[in-house]
Amino acid sequence: MSAEAAHAAEILAQLSAPERLRALAELARRGKDGATVAELANALDVPVPKAGAMLARLKAIGVATGTGTGVYRARLDALREAAADLDRHQPISNLLVVYPELRNLFSHGRLTTFPPTLSERWELLSEMLTRFLDLDGPCDEDEINRRLSGVTDDVAGARRMLVDTGWLERDRAGTTYGTSRLLSARGKPTPDS
């Protein structure tokens, strides 16, 4: 794991504590005015030392700033930066560079929508997912599902799309899948496919 991904994971872990998340939300609500430790303690109905500890933790992970006058402010850009760091480490990220026209179908490395079935992007998405599967021989359905689950919650829909577009083919026994078309440099089928 990269240092950026580790930092993003630490932010998420720290914000999984409801009281820290509430503290950050309160700072965000207050905007540029921010809050002192006492003001935050009052707003969250917690003891001042507990509010101070929450703010210290938020500042340590970079989602809050504190000034010499004791005013703390939310630094929400840190959350956007962490999300971008995590996005760069999603398994599909490298392929989205090769297929930029498909980026709007994904959110945070997950396929969120399928293009219309007869569109050029339907075929292109199938081609990209075939590259993502990286099959070097026949695979059973469980393995295909496991690999596809790395980028989509609709595994069955993605698998069906790959079969419908001819990129995946099931054997006669119905037990394994394999690629039925060859990929060229960008992914277009070669003439012999």
Side-chain angles (χ1 to χ4, degrees):
M1 179 182 300
S2 73
E4 295 87 8
H7 180 66
E10 177 65 16
I11 289 173
L12 292 174
Q14 293 297 322
L15 292 179
S16 69
E19 71 247 0
R20 282 193 283 276
L21 189 57
R22 281 185 41 226
L24 180 62
E26 180 63 22
L27 289 178
R29 187 187 70 73
R30 290 173 178 254
K32 64 181 177 183
D33 293 334
T36 65
V37 175
E39 290 169 335
L40 188 68
N42 185 47
L44 299 179
D45 194 27
V46 297
V48 170
K50 185 171 184 171
M54 287 188 286
L55 288 169
R57 188 71 66 123
L58 293 175
K59 186 176 175 187
I61 60 173
V63 297
T65 61
T67 66
T69 59
V71 176
Y72 290 82
R73 291 176 184 83
R75 187 176 162 268
L76 299 179
D77 283 348
L79 297 174
R80 286 186 275 284
E81 292 163 9
D85 288 339
L86 289 175
D87 283 352
R88 279 191 293 279
H89 290 88
Q90 293 300 319
I92 201 78
S93 295
N94 290 338
L95 286 172
L96 288 173
V97 171
V98 177
Y99 295 89
E101 59 271 57
L102 298 177
R103 281 191 182 134
N104 66 334
L105 303 177
F106 289 80
S107 176
H108 302 294
R110 306 287 298 166
L111 179 64
T112 57
T113 187
F114 288 92
T117 57
L118 297 177
S119 74
E120 185 178 297
R121 288 187 179 185
W122 176 264
E123 174 70 27
L124 207 54
L125 179 59
S126 296
E127 179 182 295
M128 184 181 84
L129 289 177
T130 299
R131 280 191 184 283
F132 175 76
L133 287 174
D134 193 28
L135 300 178
D136 55 2
C139 284
D140 64 15
E141 189 169 306
D142 288 342
E143 179 61 18
I144 296 291
N145 291 348
R146 185 190 66 72
R147 292 182 189 192
L148 286 173
S149 71
V151 293
T152 184
D153 294 330
D154 188 359
V155 171
R159 191 181 63 243
R160 172 55 39 208
M161 180 185 63
L162 290 168
V163 170
D164 288 349
T165 56
W167 285 99
L168 264 188
E169 186 174 70
R170 214 169 176 171
D171 69 1
R172 288 182 185 224
T175 58
T176 60
Y177 289 87
T179 54
S180 55
R181 295 163 71 177
L182 298 176
L183 293 165
S184 64
R186 165 57 161 60
K188 296 186 184 208
T190 57
D192 60 305
S193 60

